[in-house]
Amino acid sequence: MTPSTTTAPATPTEKTGARTDEAAALIGDARERIDALDDRIIGLIQERMAVSAVIQEARIGSGGRRVNLAREMEVLGHYRDALGKPGTALAMTVLELCRGRV
């Protein structure tokens, strides 16, 4: 039987890659803010998905198509204008998440 090995928890500087405790504290606080922002972003995307489903149901219920390509192009342009080229990829992902949920 081998003896159990215990590893000490990573110190804040090891966990963040910082070289000083001050920088590690700043990074830790900033990461907590990022985690909170990510939670809000996820919530907003889920809300967008629900609103998109309402729109799709209304469009399909009236005999229209599930997707309105002209509107999707507007969304792509909006994200690109606000965030640059990576914004287009982000918009495509958001649109993909919101399509076909009906």
Side-chain angles (χ1 to χ4, degrees), residues 45-60:
I45 290 172
Q46 290 170 330
E47 183 178 347
R48 189 190 194 287
M49 291 167 66
V51 172
S52 182
V54 169
I55 292 168
Q56 289 175 54
E57 286 175 8
R59 190 180 303 117
I60 292 168

Side-chain angles (χ1 to χ4, degrees), residues 37-49:
L37 288 167
D38 284 343
D39 288 342
R40 287 173 47 199
I41 291 166
I42 290 166
L44 289 169
I45 290 172
Q46 290 170 330
E47 183 178 347
R48 189 190 194 287
M49 291 167 66

Side-chain angles (χ1 to χ4, degrees), residues 34-91:
I34 285 174
D35 290 345
L37 288 167
D38 284 343
D39 288 342
R40 287 173 47 199
I41 291 166
I42 290 166
L44 289 169
I45 290 172
Q46 290 170 330
E47 183 178 347
R48 189 190 194 287
M49 291 167 66
V51 172
S52 182
V54 169
I55 292 168
Q56 289 175 54
E57 286 175 8
R59 190 180 303 117
I60 292 168
S62 71
R65 297 179 57 185
R66 179 176 56 86
V67 175
N68 180 331
L69 295 178
R71 173 62 180 152
E72 289 197 356
M73 293 307 292
E74 290 176 15
V75 172
L76 290 170
H78 181 67
Y79 275 70
R80 182 190 60 246
D81 292 347
L83 302 171
K85 186 178 177 183
T88 304
L90 177 59

Side-chain angles (χ1 to χ4, degrees), residues 1-53:
M1 186 172 242
T2 60
S4 64
T5 57
T6 59
T7 56
T11 66
T13 52
E14 291 171 336
K15 195 172 181 180
T16 63
R19 303 250 180 199
T20 66
D21 289 340
E22 182 179 285
L26 182 115
I27 291 168
D29 291 345
R31 285 183 177 170
E32 286 180 18
R33 288 179 55 209
I34 285 174
D35 290 345
L37 288 167
D38 284 343
D39 288 342
R40 287 173 47 199
I41 291 166
I42 290 166
L44 289 169
I45 290 172
Q46 290 170 330
E47 183 178 347
R48 189 190 194 287
M49 291 167 66
V51 172
S52 182

